[in-house]
């Protein structure tokens, strides 16, 4: 089955290879505080380098630190901003805005939303993924307790469609509602709050 997709605009593609010198300024990638526990990206094994290779130009007295290969991350967002896809070396993650999936303050999926989740289920099959995370999030309006409940209810609704479509006893799910925790945008503006009201579906990248 081939899913019909909205036109996508490539917003960022980053490839980073970091080799650090002792005695020189250290380059590092800061951890992303908006990433829920257990979903941090993991880098591939570093490429072996010969510190004595004459082709390597080092400052006087400097030596090579352990090399690091940072994740390749590709981010694609549709033109409306309603859907975002992130691909790294290890994982695929879809972030769907709550307004596209649900009515206001509701956990009932629309027919259009169900069709989009079915398309994501096909991608999961393509990647041969058997471990799937479904996380719900809200903005910081209203009580934190209400946000926790609503975000979990919405994650449960998305999980129900995925489980039905995949229909595979070998697939395991981690389903959580984080409420207003882990925002990806500024909650002081409506545009930021809209991005924070979302459901994320993530799973390991496979051979395909």
């Amino acid at each position: 089955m081939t899913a019909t997709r909205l036109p996508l605009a490539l917003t960022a593609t980053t490839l980073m290879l970091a080799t650090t010198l002792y005695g020189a300024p250290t380059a590092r990638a800061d951890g992303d505080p908006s990433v829920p526990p257990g979903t941090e990206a993991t880098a591939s094994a570093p490429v072996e380098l010969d510190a004595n290779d004459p082709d390597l130009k080092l400052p006087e007295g400097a030596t090579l630190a352990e090399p690091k290969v940072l994740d390749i991350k590709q981010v694609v967002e549709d033109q409306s901003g309603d859907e975002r896809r992130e691909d790294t070396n290890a994982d695929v993650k879809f972030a769907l805005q709550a307004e596209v999936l649900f009515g206001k303050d509701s956990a009932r999926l629309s027919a259009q939303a169900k069709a989009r989740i079915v398309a994501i289920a096909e991608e999961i099959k393509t990647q041969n993924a058997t471990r799937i995370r479904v996380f719900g999030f809200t903005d910081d309006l209203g009580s934190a307790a209400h946000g926790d409940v609503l975000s979990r209810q919405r994650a449960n609704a998305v999980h129900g469609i995925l489980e039905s479509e995949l229909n595979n006893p070998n697939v395991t799910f981690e389903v959580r509602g984080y409420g207003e925790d882990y925002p990806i945008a500024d909650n002081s503006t409506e545009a930021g709050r809209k991005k924070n009201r979302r459901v994320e579906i993530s799973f390991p990248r496979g051979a395909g």
Side-chain angles (χ1 to χ4, degrees):
M1 171 177 166
T2 302
T4 301
R5 299 186 58 84
L6 293 172
L8 297 179
L10 183 64
T11 58
T13 304
T14 305
L15 170 61
M16 296 176 287
L17 172 63
T19 303
T20 308
L21 303 178
Y22 286 130
T26 301
R28 65 185 179 87
D30 291 328
D32 185 348
S34 70
V35 175
T39 64
E40 301 87 351
T42 56
S44 303
V47 178
E48 291 187 7
L49 296 176
D50 180 2
N52 298 315
D53 189 328
D55 292 330
L56 294 175
K57 306 296 185 182
L58 300 177
E60 185 68 29
T63 59
L64 282 175
E66 290 297 321
K68 296 179 181 179
V69 178
L70 303 183
D71 272 325
I72 299 170
K73 176 181 281 191
Q74 177 175 287
V75 179
V76 179
E77 189 172 81
D78 71 2
Q79 293 176 350
S80 67
D82 292 340
E83 180 178 330
R84 177 184 176 95
R85 172 175 175 154
E86 294 183 10
D87 289 84
T88 69
N89 301 355
D91 297 291
V92 179
K93 179 169 70 177
F94 290 91
L96 305 175
Q97 287 193 356
E99 280 84 348
V100 179
L101 302 176
F102 309 99
K104 184 176 181 181
D105 207 30
S106 169
R108 183 183 297 276
L109 287 162
S110 67
Q112 183 179 2
K114 290 178 182 178
R116 187 65 203 103
I117 296 167
V118 168
I120 293 175
E122 292 301 315
E123 175 71 11
I124 292 170
K125 293 176 185 177
T126 299
Q127 298 293 341
N128 298 313
T130 57
R131 294 182 294 108
I132 302 161
R133 296 185 177 100
V134 184
F135 294 164
F137 305 86
T138 64
D139 58 29
D140 65 352
L141 297 181
S143 72
H146 177 69
D148 289 344
V149 171
L150 181 61
S151 63
R152 178 56 190 257
Q153 289 174 337
R154 288 176 166 176
N156 284 341
V158 172
H159 162 239
I161 300 297
L162 289 174
E163 186 174 45
S164 174
E165 287 299 314
L166 295 173
N167 192 27
N168 184 345
N170 295 319
V171 172
T172 60
F173 289 87
E174 182 181 355
V175 184
R176 296 186 183 180
Y178 282 105
E180 64 189 53
D181 294 341
Y182 308 107
I184 58 173
D186 187 354
N187 269 313
S188 67
T189 68
E190 176 52 30
R193 290 191 293 270
K194 183 179 179 182
K195 286 183 176 292
N196 291 333
R197 299 189 293 264
R198 68 198 190 279
V199 175
E200 293 181 354
I201 304 166
S202 59
F203 45 90
R205 173 176 296 285

